[in-house]
Amino acid sequence: MISAQDTSSEVLEAYNNMYDSYAKGTDEFFDYYEKDFVRVPTNGEVQKGVEGPRAEWNDFLKTHYLYLEEYGKPEIILSENQVVTIGDYTEYFIDRETKDSSYNRGVYIAAWRK
């Protein structure tokens, strides 16, 4: 049986790998998501599934660069069948043509299946 500390370490490693992948400004970070992925963007519309958000992200990357300034170490909540991480991030999106940037600070909540 894996200890709580080992589980937390494994999840933290996956969390860091996912954010490192995100910071590259590609769609590879979606490989960490499952088909039942749920996202609530700033407009409040609930999105389900991976392919829609992946397609939107790739369209967005055609006109913008991503600069991930930082992401915080998450709070890790262990339960019997899953682990929940709650963290924050600060990022900028830079228009490829005008070089104008927009600031985005947010919170990320994820459930990781054991």
Side-chain angles (χ1 to χ4, degrees):
M1 182 169 191
I2 295 178
S3 72
Q5 181 60 42
D6 289 343
T7 298
S8 292
S9 293
E10 285 183 30
V11 169
L12 184 57
E13 181 179 356
Y15 181 90
N16 288 331
N17 289 340
M18 190 267 310
Y19 262 110
D20 290 344
S21 175
Y22 178 75
K24 292 178 185 175
T26 68
D27 72 354
E28 293 174 11
F29 71 97
F30 280 101
D31 294 344
Y32 288 87
Y33 298 13
E34 293 192 12
K35 293 183 296 188
D36 59 354
F37 166 67
V38 176
R39 177 175 182 255
V40 182
T42 56
N43 67 8
E45 290 183 24
V46 176
Q47 297 176 332
K48 294 183 180 181
V50 175
E51 294 313 313
R54 185 188 296 255
E56 284 179 17
W57 180 247
N58 283 317
D59 283 345
F60 186 74
L61 289 177
K62 292 175 185 173
T63 59
H64 291 81
Y65 295 105
L66 164 70
Y67 169 65
L68 179 62
E69 182 176 75
E70 68 178 334
Y71 64 93
K73 182 176 178 181
E75 177 180 356
I76 298 176
I77 303 165
L78 301 171
S79 69
E80 187 175 326
N81 295 320
Q82 70 178 358
V83 177
V84 174
T85 55
I86 303 171
D88 64 327
Y89 58 89
T90 303
E91 63 191 2
Y92 292 86
F93 297 111
I94 303 161
D95 187 289
R96 290 178 183 268
E97 186 176 312
T98 67
K99 305 302 182 218
D100 290 337
S101 64
S102 59
Y103 168 81
N104 185 35
R105 181 170 182 263
V107 175
Y108 191 91
I109 300 171
W112 304 79
R113 292 187 185 144
K114 285 188 177 180

